[in-house]
Amino acid sequence: MIAVDLNVTALRRCATIFVVEDEPDAAAFTELALRRVGHDPVVFSHPTAALDALSVNDCDLLLSDVRLPDMSGLELLERVRQRRHDLPVVLMTAFATVNDAIVALRHGASDYLLKPLTVQSLAEGVAGALAARDTDSDRILAIGAHPDDVEIGVGATLAGHSRRGDHVTILTLSNGESGGQPEVRRTEAQLAAEMLGADLVLGSLPDTRISEHGLTVKLIEDIVSSLNPTTVYTHSSHDVHQDHRATHQASLISCRSVSQLLCYQSPSATVGFAPNRFVTVDNTVDQKLAAIAAYQSQIDRSAYLAEDLLRATTRYWGRFGAGRHAEPLEIVRDQVERTSLHEHDAHDQPVGRDTTERERFDHAINVK
């Protein structure tokens, strides 16, 4: 009997928070409080330094005092809005008036916290701002059996989601130990996810022996319950790799409550793979290729990771999309309105209900 460790390692799961506070004691307290509740604070004593950091680094939330040297918190808020309209900004002050709060909120502040802060009041203010951000965006889950599966199938699509502000998570069920050293592959997978703007969750199911039920279903169900995704991408059933087919079957069970479920193509897909949605990825195909290049341990041993082949594949599928490059998807279920990502459905495939293989076949052969 093979022992399977179901402990899931979540990478880059906390929020990165830029803190702008010129008073040393207040800055130290805020940093300690945010770390205590699981976030990753980066503290700046001057607003200009925070703006410079925002131009080259990403963060999930900006937390700023109102009274700052050379620039007020409200002025900082206006400058941030010119660069990042979607970034939650929470202001803090010990000298608030009702009018100050109204002005701040009208200028796009997510919240207005009164000092002296407690760990609880700070945590609640930050949580509320982050929750409001997540409500306005989609929650994307991409499931793969091994490291690099997701990046090959929908890497450019995920990069597009991330650029749009959606919360993207990659769930990789195994460490891919049959293809190399697990610790190396884990490091490569983390780097690839970061390059796509995604969180990474690594399972430890046995490579080449992933089951379509039992532990696999439980692992995916736990992640779905935690993330409550609006869209899931997973392997197709039309695949000669047993782990890919098992992942597909387990995903159908575990994601039965998810309103949008789509299947991507892998290098081991068969000619039975029948896409009916094509996501245009002209602006993100290079980002996908850069993420796949993170898998240095696999490139020399896996011909299907060759950059020219990967680019040619997206170029081929671009024939059916709205641009030059596209990633193909099979629709299993689509019960949500179309996103702003560039998509094209072959044969005007109807949405809003489950789509069976038989229905896709019947519709295809009747198209004039």
Side-chain angles (χ1 to χ4, degrees):
M1 179 176 180
I2 300 172
V4 180
D5 178 12
L6 270 182
N7 290 330
V8 177
T9 302
L11 305 174
R12 211 168 59 82
R13 301 294 294 158
C14 62
T16 298
I17 299 176
F18 282 8
V19 179
V20 189
E21 174 60 79
D22 65 321
E23 205 285 308
D25 289 342
F29 167 79
T30 303
E31 180 178 14
L32 179 62
L34 290 173
R35 291 194 186 282
R36 182 176 297 177
V37 296
H39 297 303
D40 182 19
V42 182
V43 179
F44 303 90
S45 60
H46 199 284
T48 302
L51 286 172
D52 290 342
L54 272 177
S55 65
V56 294
N57 298 288
D58 195 16
C59 73
D60 300 296
L61 182 142
L62 178 73
L63 180 65
S64 175
D65 192 21
V66 170
R67 293 194 174 186
L68 296 168
D70 300 329
M71 184 188 307
S72 72
L74 285 173
E75 291 173 314
L76 175 60
L77 171 63
E78 292 179 0
R79 297 277 294 276
V80 169
R81 281 289 164 263
Q82 293 171 4
R83 305 183 184 192
R84 289 281 307 277
H85 70 278
D86 60 331
L87 180 67
V89 177
V90 176
L91 298 180
M92 308 176 289
T93 185
F95 308 97
T97 66
V98 173
N99 185 64
D100 290 336
I102 291 174
V103 171
L105 295 173
R106 283 180 176 174
H107 280 76
S110 303
D111 206 348
Y112 202 78
L113 304 182
L114 297 180
K115 295 182 175 180
L117 296 171
T118 65
V119 174
Q120 181 177 357
S121 64
L122 182 59
E124 289 177 351
V126 166
L130 292 172
R133 176 205 62 180
D134 292 340
T135 298
D136 293 336
S137 61
D138 288 336
R139 297 171 302 281
I140 310 301
L141 175 63
I143 305 170
H146 318 100
D148 76 26
D149 284 346
V150 164
E151 291 87 342
I152 294 171
V154 282
T157 298
L158 296 185
H161 278 295
S162 182
R163 290 188 183 189
R164 199 186 69 164
D166 296 336
H167 183 268
V168 180
T169 301
I170 295 173
L171 169 59
T172 301
L173 300 180
S174 76
N175 292 315
E177 61 269 22
S178 292
Q181 299 179 5
E183 60 273 16
V184 173
R185 303 208 68 185
R186 286 194 295 267
T187 300
E188 292 173 342
Q190 181 177 357
L191 177 59
E194 290 175 351
M195 296 178 76
L196 295 177
D199 290 337
L200 175 67
V201 178
L202 280 171
S204 54
L205 298 179
D207 188 5
T208 73
R209 297 185 300 278
I210 294 176
S211 169
E212 66 182 46
H213 44 72
L215 297 177
T216 310
V217 170
K218 176 65 165 57
L219 174 56
I220 300 175
E221 281 184 336
D222 286 346
I223 300 302
V224 169
S225 176
S226 173
L227 297 176
N228 188 28
T230 52
T231 301
V232 170
Y233 299 103
T234 192
H235 285 286
S236 169
S237 61
H238 303 108
D239 203 300
V240 298
H241 198 298
Q242 68 275 16
D243 282 354
H244 296 178
R245 294 196 305 273
T247 299
H248 171 83
Q249 293 298 330
S251 297
L252 293 183
I253 299 169
S254 306
C255 303
R256 56 193 177 277
S257 63
V258 179
S259 56
Q260 192 171 56
L261 180 62
L262 306 118
C263 299
Y264 56 80
Q265 183 184 36
S266 81
S268 52
T270 71
V271 293
F273 180 76
N276 46 10
R277 174 166 296 176
F278 302 89
V279 180
T280 298
V281 295
D282 291 6
N283 296 328
T284 55
V285 64
D286 289 335
Q287 193 172 347
K288 165 182 178 165
L289 296 176
I292 292 174
Y295 290 99
Q296 284 297 313
S297 69
Q298 304 300 302
I299 289 177
D300 290 338
R301 61 183 293 168
S302 303
Y304 56 79
L305 291 180
E307 180 178 335
D308 58 345
L309 175 60
L310 293 168
R311 187 182 295 276
T313 300
T314 62
R315 182 69 184 91
Y316 169 80
W317 289 116
R319 299 167 56 228
F320 304 97
R324 290 177 56 82
H325 296 269
E327 288 180 328
L329 297 165
E330 292 177 327
I331 300 173
V332 174
R333 182 166 55 253
D334 188 351
Q335 297 171 334
V336 297
E337 294 182 3
R338 191 62 47 82
T339 69
S340 62
L341 290 173
H342 297 295
E343 298 174 345
H344 174 72
D345 279 349
H347 314 315
D348 296 321
Q349 177 65 38
V351 299
R353 59 184 176 85
D354 284 6
T355 305
T356 66
E357 290 287 336
R358 182 65 192 178
E359 287 173 321
R360 286 205 297 269
F361 177 78
D362 289 344
H363 187 78
I365 63 174
N366 284 295
V367 171
K368 302 293 185 183

